[in-house]
Amino acid sequence: MSFASYGLTRVWHWITMIGAVVVTVACVFLIPGGFTYLSVLAIVVLLGVVNTVSTWLIIRSAEAERLGLELATSEGREAVARDVHDLIGHSLTVVGLKAQLVRRLMDSDPERAKVELADIERLTAEAIAGVRSTVAGARATTLVEQLASSQDSFRAADIEVRVDGEPGALSPAQALTASWILREATTNTLRHSRARTVLVRLAPGRMIVEDDGVGISGSEGNGIHGMRERAAAAGAGFVIGPADASGGSGTRVEVTW
């Protein structure tokens, strides 16, 4: 019975257990003097119960381990997808804006157009490297780098940007999360806000990105959902809403620890 339970399939476990119990019951009740062996019947039944419970627990444990592995794989894929979305979304948005600027400058200011084309080449190379690093699990843009990149992106789109505070106000762990959220906030502002000015405020345990654009409309997209997930994973609070507390125009993204 034990060999069938642990060495064979589940079907053989039930066949041998039921068969052994039936044979033992027949011997006890049909053979003269068989009642002497009631204790043997009890042992066989008890062994069957123990084998059944043990193998059931083993199967459940194996299933739980498999589900845990699938969940971890799924979460890993979602994390990579989110990172790639943030990187590609931001980079392509900036490249598109710079390409439009180059088209306007080709006749009036060829030298400036060449500079912007060089920036497009640099951004494309950085995006490719960023995706490769993300897939390898080694992407870690610092807040200082992202702040400089966001400022450059806003200026290319003729958006005035002001930074209040220093990146050093946040701890290294906070700065890592803040850099990703700032990247996505920059992308959203460039794509949707039609803003003229942007304020980035950095303080101990807090980052605020505020613009004077058209504000939020419709349901939250992948970008905002990704920002919420990153903030939650870092143990931070995340709030997005109108820049004016009374419900006026513009968008305000705030992350606090």
Side-chain angles (χ1 to χ4, degrees):
M1 288 172 61
S2 296
F3 176 77
S5 298
Y6 299 101
L8 300 178
T9 63
R10 196 68 174 164
V11 174
W12 279 108
H13 159 77
W14 290 109
I15 291 174
T16 54
M17 186 188 73
I18 294 173
V21 171
V22 169
V23 170
T24 307
V25 168
C27 291
V28 170
F29 290 98
L30 299 180
I31 296 177
F35 286 101
T36 308
Y37 300 101
L38 279 174
S39 58
V40 176
L41 176 60
I43 292 173
V44 171
V45 172
L46 181 61
L47 184 61
V49 172
V50 170
N51 287 343
T52 300
V53 174
S54 298
T55 52
W56 178 76
L57 291 174
I58 291 172
I59 292 172
R60 287 294 300 273
S61 177
E63 290 178 349
E65 183 177 354
R66 177 179 57 81
L67 291 174
L69 179 60
E70 291 179 357
L71 180 60
T73 302
S74 176
E75 290 177 347
R77 288 173 179 171
E78 288 180 1
V80 171
R82 184 173 61 242
D83 291 351
V84 171
H85 169 271
D86 292 349
L87 286 165
I88 292 297
H90 173 77
S91 299
L92 291 183
T93 298
V94 177
V95 167
L97 290 170
K98 285 184 174 290
Q100 295 174 11
L101 180 60
V102 168
R103 188 188 306 117
R104 295 196 301 267
L105 294 173
M106 286 181 65
D107 296 328
S108 61
D109 193 348
E111 292 302 319
R112 172 77 185 281
K114 291 179 181 179
V115 173
E116 295 298 335
L117 283 173
D119 280 345
I120 290 176
E121 292 178 356
R122 177 182 57 81
L123 286 169
T124 304
E126 288 180 355
I128 294 172
V131 170
R132 289 173 177 170
S133 299
T134 299
V135 173
R139 177 67 181 173
T141 303
T142 65
L143 181 56
V144 174
E145 293 172 342
Q146 183 54 51
L147 190 60
S149 176
S150 295
Q151 288 176 300
D152 181 63
S153 301
F154 286 134
R155 293 192 184 105
D158 293 327
I159 298 176
E160 181 184 351
V161 57
R162 182 165 63 89
V163 178
D164 184 6
E166 296 294 331
L170 301 177
S171 69
Q174 294 171 350
L176 182 61
T177 301
S179 67
W180 280 106
I181 294 177
L182 176 59
R183 177 191 295 272
E184 186 58 38
T186 300
T187 302
N188 288 345
T189 300
L190 292 173
R191 283 181 176 175
H192 311 297
S193 72
R194 299 200 294 272
R196 304 310 306 164
T197 62
V198 174
L199 169 64
V200 179
R201 183 177 294 115
L202 300 170
R206 173 173 294 183
M207 181 185 73
I208 298 173
V209 183
E210 193 172 87
D211 66 57
D212 62 350
V214 297
I216 302 174
S217 61
S219 59
E220 295 184 356
N222 291 331
I224 296 178
H225 183 66
M227 287 192 285
R228 288 191 185 280
E229 288 183 347
R230 290 187 182 280
F238 178 84
V239 177
I240 183 169
D244 186 349
S246 62
S249 64
T251 303
R252 175 188 175 97
V253 174
E254 182 174 358
V255 188
T256 55
W257 284 266

